[in-house]
mmCIF file of all heavy atoms in Angstrom:
data_model
loop_
_atom_site.group_PDB
_atom_site.id
_atom_site.type_symbol
_atom_site.label_atom_id
_atom_site.label_comp_id
_atom_site.label_asym_id
_atom_site.label_seq_id
_atom_site.Cartn_x
_atom_site.Cartn_y
_atom_site.Cartn_z
ATOM 1 N N LYS A 68 -57.846 25.666 112.114
ATOM 2 C CA LYS A 68 -58.220 24.607 111.200
ATOM 3 C C LYS A 68 -57.037 24.225 110.369
ATOM 4 O O LYS A 68 -56.348 25.059 109.780
ATOM 5 C CB LYS A 68 -59.350 25.172 110.254
ATOM 6 C CG LYS A 68 -59.838 24.069 109.307
ATOM 7 C CD LYS A 68 -60.982 24.597 108.435
ATOM 8 C CE LYS A 68 -61.377 23.505 107.415
ATOM 9 N NZ LYS A 68 -62.438 23.955 106.544
ATOM 10 N N ASN A 69 -56.735 22.949 110.327
ATOM 11 C CA ASN A 69 -55.549 22.417 109.610
ATOM 12 C C ASN A 69 -55.936 21.940 108.233
ATOM 13 O O ASN A 69 -56.889 21.155 108.083
ATOM 14 C CB ASN A 69 -54.908 21.350 110.377
ATOM 15 C CG ASN A 69 -54.141 21.854 111.553
ATOM 16 O OD1 ASN A 69 -52.999 22.191 111.433
ATOM 17 N ND2 ASN A 69 -54.800 21.979 112.704
ATOM 18 N N ARG A 70 -55.192 22.359 107.218
ATOM 19 C CA ARG A 70 -55.395 21.829 105.869
ATOM 20 C C ARG A 70 -54.593 20.552 105.595
ATOM 21 O O ARG A 70 -55.038 19.746 104.812
ATOM 22 C CB ARG A 70 -55.000 22.903 104.861
ATOM 23 C CG ARG A 70 -55.165 22.406 103.458
ATOM 24 C CD ARG A 70 -55.001 23.475 102.466
ATOM 25 N NE ARG A 70 -55.182 22.906 101.121
ATOM 26 C CZ ARG A 70 -55.250 23.590 99.997
ATOM 27 N NH1 ARG A 70 -55.099 24.939 100.021
ATOM 28 N NH2 ARG A 70 -55.362 22.986 98.849
ATOM 29 N N PHE A 71 -53.481 20.403 106.263
ATOM 30 C CA PHE A 71 -52.565 19.288 105.972
ATOM 31 C C PHE A 71 -52.359 18.412 107.195
ATOM 32 O O PHE A 71 -52.278 18.885 108.316
ATOM 33 C CB PHE A 71 -51.174 19.795 105.521
ATOM 34 C CG PHE A 71 -51.281 20.633 104.246
ATOM 35 C CD1 PHE A 71 -51.131 22.039 104.330
ATOM 36 C CD2 PHE A 71 -51.500 20.054 103.005
ATOM 37 C CE1 PHE A 71 -51.193 22.797 103.192
ATOM 38 C CE2 PHE A 71 -51.628 20.868 101.855
ATOM 39 C CZ PHE A 71 -51.461 22.183 101.934
ATOM 40 N N ALA A 72 -52.301 17.118 106.938
ATOM 41 C CA ALA A 72 -51.863 16.178 107.899
ATOM 42 C C ALA A 72 -50.712 15.421 107.318
ATOM 43 O O ALA A 72 -50.576 15.231 106.061
ATOM 44 C CB ALA A 72 -53.038 15.164 108.257
ATOM 45 N N TYR A 73 -49.823 14.904 108.161
ATOM 46 C CA TYR A 73 -48.583 14.212 107.745
ATOM 47 C C TYR A 73 -48.525 12.848 108.398
ATOM 48 O O TYR A 73 -49.035 12.643 109.487
ATOM 49 C CB TYR A 73 -47.363 15.053 108.106
ATOM 50 C CG TYR A 73 -47.402 16.443 107.553
ATOM 51 C CD1 TYR A 73 -48.006 17.457 108.293
ATOM 52 C CD2 TYR A 73 -46.816 16.768 106.350
ATOM 53 C CE1 TYR A 73 -48.042 18.755 107.821
ATOM 54 C CE2 TYR A 73 -46.858 18.089 105.841
ATOM 55 C CZ TYR A 73 -47.515 19.077 106.622
ATOM 56 O OH TYR A 73 -47.506 20.351 106.132
ATOM 57 N N GLY A 74 -47.967 11.915 107.734
ATOM 58 C CA GLY A 74 -47.853 10.607 108.315
ATOM 59 C C GLY A 74 -46.927 9.674 107.508
ATOM 60 O O GLY A 74 -46.206 10.127 106.613
ATOM 61 N N TRP A 75 -46.970 8.409 107.873
ATOM 62 C CA TRP A 75 -46.035 7.421 107.409
ATOM 63 C C TRP A 75 -46.811 6.142 107.068
ATOM 64 O O TRP A 75 -47.719 5.775 107.813
ATOM 65 C CB TRP A 75 -45.029 7.193 108.466
ATOM 66 C CG TRP A 75 -44.001 6.089 108.340
ATOM 67 C CD1 TRP A 75 -42.922 6.098 107.625
ATOM 68 C CD2 TRP A 75 -44.060 4.803 109.027
ATOM 69 N NE1 TRP A 75 -42.244 4.884 107.776
ATOM 70 C CE2 TRP A 75 -42.935 4.079 108.633
ATOM 71 C CE3 TRP A 75 -44.995 4.193 109.874
ATOM 72 C CZ2 TRP A 75 -42.637 2.833 109.090
ATOM 73 C CZ3 TRP A 75 -44.693 2.923 110.341
ATOM 74 C CH2 TRP A 75 -43.578 2.263 109.940
ATOM 75 N N VAL A 76 -46.463 5.521 105.943
ATOM 76 C CA VAL A 76 -47.128 4.291 105.602
ATOM 77 C C VAL A 76 -46.060 3.217 105.427
ATOM 78 O O VAL A 76 -45.003 3.431 104.792
ATOM 79 C CB VAL A 76 -47.867 4.383 104.237
ATOM 80 C CG1 VAL A 76 -48.374 3.021 103.770
ATOM 81 C CG2 VAL A 76 -48.956 5.455 104.307
ATOM 82 N N SER A 77 -46.268 2.085 106.079
ATOM 83 C CA SER A 77 -45.293 0.962 105.927
ATOM 84 C C SER A 77 -46.022 -0.243 105.373
ATOM 85 O O SER A 77 -46.984 -0.724 106.003
ATOM 86 C CB SER A 77 -44.702 0.622 107.317
ATOM 87 O OG SER A 77 -43.883 -0.514 107.259
ATOM 88 N N ILE A 78 -45.595 -0.699 104.229
ATOM 89 C CA ILE A 78 -46.146 -1.878 103.576
ATOM 90 C C ILE A 78 -45.065 -2.916 103.526
ATOM 91 O O ILE A 78 -43.972 -2.666 102.991
ATOM 92 C CB ILE A 78 -46.691 -1.536 102.214
ATOM 93 C CG1 ILE A 78 -47.749 -0.415 102.253
ATOM 94 C CG2 ILE A 78 -47.285 -2.776 101.510
ATOM 95 C CD1 ILE A 78 -48.147 0.104 100.932
ATOM 96 N N ASP A 79 -45.389 -4.098 104.022
ATOM 97 C CA ASP A 79 -44.346 -5.147 104.130
ATOM 98 C C ASP A 79 -43.214 -4.646 104.997
ATOM 99 O O ASP A 79 -43.463 -3.794 105.884
ATOM 100 C CB ASP A 79 -43.778 -5.590 102.754
ATOM 101 C CG ASP A 79 -44.852 -6.282 101.870
ATOM 102 O OD1 ASP A 79 -45.795 -6.855 102.489
ATOM 103 O OD2 ASP A 79 -44.763 -6.235 100.653
ATOM 104 N N TYR A 80 -42.036 -5.073 104.812
ATOM 105 C CA TYR A 80 -40.913 -4.673 105.681
ATOM 106 C C TYR A 80 -40.171 -3.492 105.121
ATOM 107 O O TYR A 80 -39.707 -2.643 105.836
ATOM 108 C CB TYR A 80 -39.976 -5.884 105.780
ATOM 109 C CG TYR A 80 -38.749 -5.568 106.715
ATOM 110 C CD1 TYR A 80 -38.894 -5.755 108.084
ATOM 111 C CD2 TYR A 80 -37.555 -5.166 106.193
ATOM 112 C CE1 TYR A 80 -37.819 -5.516 108.917
ATOM 113 C CE2 TYR A 80 -36.504 -4.921 107.017
ATOM 114 C CZ TYR A 80 -36.629 -5.056 108.363
ATOM 115 O OH TYR A 80 -35.573 -4.793 109.181
ATOM 116 N N TRP A 81 -40.081 -3.430 103.804
ATOM 117 C CA TRP A 81 -39.144 -2.544 103.183
ATOM 118 C C TRP A 81 -39.787 -1.382 102.469
ATOM 119 O O TRP A 81 -39.124 -0.452 102.001
ATOM 120 C CB TRP A 81 -38.321 -3.315 102.202
ATOM 121 C CG TRP A 81 -39.112 -4.005 101.177
ATOM 122 C CD1 TRP A 81 -39.684 -5.255 101.314
ATOM 123 C CD2 TRP A 81 -39.491 -3.595 99.906
ATOM 124 N NE1 TRP A 81 -40.454 -5.606 100.236
ATOM 125 C CE2 TRP A 81 -40.293 -4.580 99.298
ATOM 126 C CE3 TRP A 81 -39.212 -2.423 99.158
ATOM 127 C CZ2 TRP A 81 -40.871 -4.435 98.066
ATOM 128 C CZ3 TRP A 81 -39.772 -2.353 97.889
ATOM 129 C CH2 TRP A 81 -40.597 -3.320 97.386
ATOM 130 N N ARG A 82 -41.123 -1.350 102.238
ATOM 131 C CA ARG A 82 -41.748 -0.218 101.531
ATOM 132 C C ARG A 82 -42.316 0.774 102.523
ATOM 133 O O ARG A 82 -43.344 0.537 103.133
ATOM 134 C CB ARG A 82 -42.832 -0.775 100.632
ATOM 135 C CG ARG A 82 -42.250 -1.499 99.465
ATOM 136 C CD ARG A 82 -43.286 -1.846 98.390
ATOM 137 N NE ARG A 82 -44.174 -2.870 98.925
ATOM 138 C CZ ARG A 82 -45.444 -3.060 98.516
ATOM 139 N NH1 ARG A 82 -45.930 -2.314 97.624
ATOM 140 N NH2 ARG A 82 -46.175 -3.993 99.089
ATOM 141 N N GLN A 83 -41.600 1.846 102.717
ATOM 142 C CA GLN A 83 -42.029 2.932 103.673
ATOM 143 C C GLN A 83 -42.197 4.222 102.891
ATOM 144 O O GLN A 83 -41.332 4.560 102.044
ATOM 145 C CB GLN A 83 -41.022 3.044 104.736
ATOM 146 C CG GLN A 83 -40.894 1.768 105.593
ATOM 147 C CD GLN A 83 -39.925 1.979 106.733
ATOM 148 O OE1 GLN A 83 -39.482 3.016 107.014
ATOM 149 N NE2 GLN A 83 -39.662 0.827 107.359
ATOM 150 N N THR A 84 -43.289 4.923 103.148
ATOM 151 C CA THR A 84 -43.619 6.114 102.400
ATOM 152 C C THR A 84 -44.017 7.232 103.364
ATOM 153 O O THR A 84 -44.827 6.967 104.283
ATOM 154 C CB THR A 84 -44.746 5.835 101.398
ATOM 155 O OG1 THR A 84 -44.346 4.766 100.586
ATOM 156 C CG2 THR A 84 -45.187 7.041 100.593
ATOM 157 N N LEU A 85 -43.528 8.422 103.146
ATOM 158 C CA LEU A 85 -44.048 9.606 103.894
ATOM 159 C C LEU A 85 -45.191 10.189 103.100
ATOM 160 O O LEU A 85 -45.169 10.227 101.862
ATOM 161 C CB LEU A 85 -42.900 10.659 104.058
ATOM 162 C CG LEU A 85 -41.672 10.156 104.841
ATOM 163 C CD1 LEU A 85 -40.641 11.311 104.842
ATOM 164 C CD2 LEU A 85 -42.091 9.788 106.252
#
Side-chain angles (χ1 to χ4, degrees):
K68 181 179 178 183
N69 284 270
R70 178 171 180 174
F71 300 103
Y73 305 87
W75 172 80
V76 176
S77 178
I78 302 172
D79 295 333
Y80 182 85
W81 56 277
R82 290 188 291 156
Q83 297 182 8
T84 304
L85 297 178

